[in-house]
Amino acid sequence: MKASTLIRQLHRWVAAAFVLGVLAYMAAMSQGTPPPWLGLFALIPLILLALSGIYLFLLPYAARLRSGPAERAT
Ligand code: HEM
């Protein structure tokens, strides 16, 4: 499997984990002040999402660079 496909799937599944982390934090907030470590369940996936998201964002530009000088759009 291509690395870009793996990263895209990682991004998709980490997005689901991030949503669960945020929901858990919100549920804990409704019961009072949540413990600080609970925030890590959203923060760590968010960092992974940012890194893999930037990679996905740059993919098409990298492909364009690799394929040589771009044809000018008219
Ligand atoms: C934190 C910074 C983030 C960046 C820079 C980022 C960037 C990106 C980029 C560039 C794509 C590919 C778009 C495309 O060309 O099709 C993408 C896809 C996606 N992003 Fe993010 N994203 C971020 C955070 C999130 C978050 C917080 C969520 C949801 C909780 C999320 C969910 C998704 C999903 C579901 C896809 C589609 C993946 C697929 O192809 O199946 N992303 N993101």
Side-chain angles (χ1 to χ4, degrees):
M1 194 185 278
K2 272 168 53 182
S4 58
T5 310
L6 271 177
I7 303 267
R8 188 174 284 275
Q9 287 193 348
L10 177 92
H11 192 81
R12 193 184 305 163
W13 284 103
V14 175
F18 170 72
V19 170
L20 291 179
V22 171
L23 288 177
Y25 196 83
M26 286 168 70
M29 266 184 12
S30 71
Q31 309 294 315
T33 309
W37 55 262
L38 195 59
L40 293 179
F41 282 89
L43 182 64
I44 292 171
L46 185 60
I47 291 169
L48 291 175
L49 279 171
L51 294 174
S52 55
I54 289 166
Y55 174 87
L56 290 176
F57 179 82
L58 292 176
L59 268 182
Y61 301 102
R64 221 168 295 169
L65 276 181
R66 267 199 302 268
S67 66
E71 283 179 28
R72 275 189 185 278
T74 47

